[in-house]
Amino acid sequence: MRALLTAATAALALGVLAGCGTASTPAASDQSATTTSERPSKTPPEPPTPSDVATPQPPEAGKPQNPSGGEPPVTIGPNGPVVPPGVTEVPSGQVDATALPQYIEFGNKVWQFDDGFSLQMFAGASSGCSGAEAVLLDQSADAVKIVVRPLDQPQGGRPDDSVCTQVMTPVPVTVALDQPLRDRKVLLSAGR
């Protein structure tokens, strides 16, 4: 009887130990899954199905999706305006800048981009800390009227404590048109 009790206790102990071993040690199939999840997959991801991809809508009447989005493309370099590819200057005979003050550097120049839907020019900021803006007043079949004006400087200068120069500074400004410029006149004026 004693031998049977000892054998039963030993079998029970082995069963408990075997059960504990499987709970704390992952099976061989679990170990391979863990190993592969830590390693990057060498198979390329599946391409999206047509139903997963949104179909882009064509722009209205050929108008770019985001006209004049981002930074103005024309910058001022040591030798004057730097015009990147895809941007063209509007012919001087098409630009009337007689209503602008003479101190606005490059005030009589206008550039077009985004297939003629966006115009850029330079406005005069009243200091190195203030900005300027261009506001599209009217656009007809014959002309586009734009006012350029300096923005007020915040009282006390800029929050970053930079020194504000008190000189007229050329600032690039843009406007977006409803239709391409083509041969319409650009009438520029100054405002406050």
Side-chain angles (χ1 to χ4, degrees):
M1 173 89 170
R2 196 178 238 211
L4 186 59
L5 185 59
T6 305
T9 305
L12 182 62
L14 282 174
V16 169
L17 287 176
C20 290
T22 57
S24 64
T25 307
S29 63
D30 291 342
Q31 286 177 351
S32 65
T34 304
T35 306
T36 56
S37 67
E38 293 171 4
R39 208 177 302 150
S41 174
K42 293 187 182 196
T43 57
E46 297 271 336
T49 62
S51 62
D52 294 339
V53 179
T55 305
Q57 298 298 319
E60 292 179 32
K63 187 173 182 178
Q65 295 280 21
N66 187 15
S68 72
E71 293 294 314
V74 179
T75 58
I76 298 177
N79 298 324
V82 178
V83 182
V87 177
T88 57
E89 186 173 347
V90 176
S92 60
Q94 199 174 332
V95 177
D96 181 357
T98 55
L100 288 180
Q102 294 297 318
Y103 59 79
I104 297 180
E105 193 172 7
F106 311 113
N108 60 341
K109 296 190 178 290
V110 177
W111 294 270
Q112 60 181 325
F113 57 104
D114 288 339
D115 296 325
F117 282 96
S118 296
L119 301 180
Q120 179 189 333
M121 67 266 351
F122 285 93
S126 59
S127 77
C129 292
S130 60
E133 67 178 349
V135 178
L136 183 61
L137 296 179
D138 186 39
Q139 48 187 323
S140 66
D142 300 326
V144 174
K145 295 179 183 176
I146 301 169
V147 65
V148 293
R149 59 184 175 210
L151 296 174
D152 291 331
Q153 176 180 335
Q155 187 69 20
R158 291 169 59 175
D160 61 3
D161 292 327
S162 62
V163 176
C164 297
T165 59
Q166 294 298 312
V167 297
M168 291 304 292
T169 307
V171 175
V173 292
T174 60
V175 294
L177 305 176
D178 289 338
Q179 296 295 321
L181 179 63
R182 294 190 181 98
D183 60 351
R184 293 187 284 173
K185 286 250 285 183
V186 178
L187 307 175
L188 297 174
S189 62
R192 195 83 185 123

